[in-house]
Amino acid sequence: MSNQNERLAMVRQYAIQCIKDESNAVLDLLNQIDSEFDRAVELILNCKGKVIVTGVGKSGHIGAKIAATLSSTGTPSFFINPLDVYHGDLGVMTSEDVVIAISYSGQTDELLRFIPMVLHMHIPIIGMSGNEKSLLAKYSTVHIKVKVDKEACPLNLAPTSSTTAALVMGDALAIALMEVRNFKPRDFAQFHPGGELGKRLLTTARDVMRSDDLPVIPKEMHLGEAIILVSKGKLGLGVSLDDDNKIIGLITDGDIRRAMERWQADFVNHTVEEIMTRTPKCVLADTKITEIQKIMHKNFVHSVLVTDQEKHLLGVVDHYSCMI
């Protein structure tokens, strides 16, 4: 048993050392961000076409992820394998595009054979490698250095720290572009309509409001009767309307509890009008759920009323409706 525990302890140390090595590789990138990074952002920012990311092997996998991140954050981008270029994929490229080419050595043969085709089409190249004197660096319009002291691999052979560093540098490009473009949550939601964030950012009051069997309570009703209607409504509130269906007041179960404490046994003889809030929080039907959540949080309320421009009641959105 002791041998097994020792073996497990050693395994954990290997894992810890790997994480330390890759963390150090990422932190070392801070000293490698220079004017070339600025130029790369400017190139992409002014790109009228697409950003095409390319790389071979592990660098290709990293390139595909970087392309996906760029696309989802407002920079039209896709990944292309240099090997596929020789079989027709070159047709997707135009002179208005920008290419990001990734190779840690900067000397990858398959990638370098692709470079002359890009140069012939006068497409700017952002090279990303750990070798400033490589052929990739030489032929790049802009070269971003992503150098690591060592791989996390104990043999210093398998791409580990270097691929992690390249991935982080790609994220840095994407985030810098987001900030320069003033990319907002609503923009992110448009590219992620199926995700939870997209749902919250795109969903409106109309989509989630309850509009049937609303607890409408006359302002003249005694609280003894009103408490029954509020309970049946299962929204913790009751709404008073005028003859034109416009909102004139709101009572909540909290209002009723406070009235009971104040008036004790005589509480049943008082009316809704005496305790109702005459300026309840209202939103229009096209108000986003995220905005409604802010209103609830700011005003310490668990529900808002949905109205049209003339304050006619359309529905109710409560806290649970916003949990999509």
Side-chain angles (χ1 to χ4, degrees):
M1 178 64 78
S2 60
N3 289 338
Q4 183 179 0
N5 290 336
E6 290 176 5
R7 188 162 57 250
L8 287 174
M10 290 178 62
V11 167
R12 291 172 188 169
Q13 285 304 312
Y14 298 149
I16 290 171
Q17 188 58 50
C18 174
I19 293 171
K20 285 182 177 180
D21 289 341
E22 297 204 20
S23 297
N24 289 332
V26 169
L27 289 174
D28 287 343
L29 292 178
L30 295 174
N31 297 321
Q32 299 181 55
I33 298 286
D34 54 19
S35 59
E36 291 292 278
F37 183 89
D38 302 338
R39 291 179 61 202
V41 170
E42 195 68 23
L43 263 180
I44 298 174
L45 193 63
N46 295 325
C47 176
K48 296 181 180 178
K50 308 167 295 297
V51 174
I52 299 170
V53 187
T54 187
V56 178
K58 305 297 188 298
S59 293
H61 294 308
I62 296 302
K65 194 277 178 184
I66 291 174
T69 299
L70 288 169
S71 288
S72 69
T73 53
T75 301
S77 178
F78 65 88
F79 174 79
I80 188 170
N81 190 318
L83 302 176
D84 293 332
V85 170
Y86 306 110
H87 301 283
D89 282 6
L90 191 64
V92 304
M93 299 173 61
T94 73
S95 59
E96 294 188 330
D97 297 333
V98 169
V99 166
I100 298 178
I102 306 171
S103 166
Y104 184 69
S105 69
Q107 300 289 122
T108 306
D109 183 62
E110 297 91 339
L111 184 64
L112 293 178
R113 284 191 281 132
F114 170 51
I115 297 300
M117 304 179 194
V118 179
L119 295 176
H120 179 71
M121 297 179 69
H122 303 289
I123 298 174
I125 300 171
I126 299 172
M128 189 182 295
S129 81
N131 186 357
E132 294 174 287
K133 300 185 182 301
S134 64
L135 288 175
L136 175 59
K138 178 180 178 180
Y139 290 111
S140 293
T141 311
V142 174
H143 180 255
I144 298 177
K145 185 173 72 171
V146 185
K147 185 175 178 58
V148 301
D149 287 338
K150 65 173 183 174
E151 299 288 3
C153 165
L155 302 177
N156 199 30
L157 294 174
T160 45
S161 297
S162 59
T163 49
T164 299
L167 180 62
V168 171
M169 187 63 80
D171 286 343
L173 274 174
I175 298 307
L177 287 161
M178 286 178 68
E179 292 291 346
V180 172
R181 286 197 174 104
N182 197 28
F183 196 81
K184 296 297 185 183
R186 62 177 178 271
D187 303 312
F188 189 87
Q190 290 176 352
F191 293 103
H192 300 76
E196 180 180 345
L197 176 61
K199 289 178 182 178
R200 287 195 292 110
L201 290 170
L202 296 177
T203 302
T204 65
R206 180 182 289 105
D207 298 320
V208 300
M209 69 182 185
R210 174 173 156 185
S211 56
D212 298 326
D213 298 323
L214 296 176
V216 175
I217 302 175
K219 65 179 182 178
E220 301 86 4
M221 179 176 283
H222 287 97
L223 295 178
E225 300 174 84
I227 192 173
I228 297 174
L229 292 183
V230 169
S231 178
K232 286 183 177 179
K234 298 181 179 179
L235 286 172
L237 55 81
V239 186
S240 292
L241 308 175
D242 63 15
D243 294 337
D244 193 32
N245 201 44
K246 292 184 179 180
I247 298 168
I248 58 174
L250 168 78
I251 64 168
T252 67
D253 49 10
D255 295 327
I256 293 174
R257 285 196 302 272
R258 286 185 288 274
M260 293 175 70
E261 292 175 0
R262 177 183 177 185
W263 290 313
Q264 300 294 320
D266 192 45
F267 137 85
V268 296
N269 296 317
H270 290 270
T271 64
V272 168
E273 187 174 16
E274 294 178 70
I275 67 168
M276 71 183 185
T277 300
R278 299 178 185 276
T279 56
K281 300 305 174 185
C282 299
V283 299
L284 298 175
D286 58 357
T287 304
K288 299 292 191 296
I289 289 300
T290 48
E291 183 61 29
I292 293 174
Q293 289 175 318
K294 291 178 183 177
I295 293 172
M296 290 181 181
H297 179 73
K298 180 179 179 180
N299 295 282
F300 302 100
V301 296
H302 63 76
S303 301
V304 296
L305 305 181
V306 184
T307 71
D308 59 16
Q309 296 284 357
E310 288 74 37
K311 294 295 182 181
H312 295 108
L313 180 65
L314 300 178
V316 177
V317 174
D318 64 7
H319 169 74
Y320 298 105
S321 303
C322 297
M323 297 174 64
I324 57 174

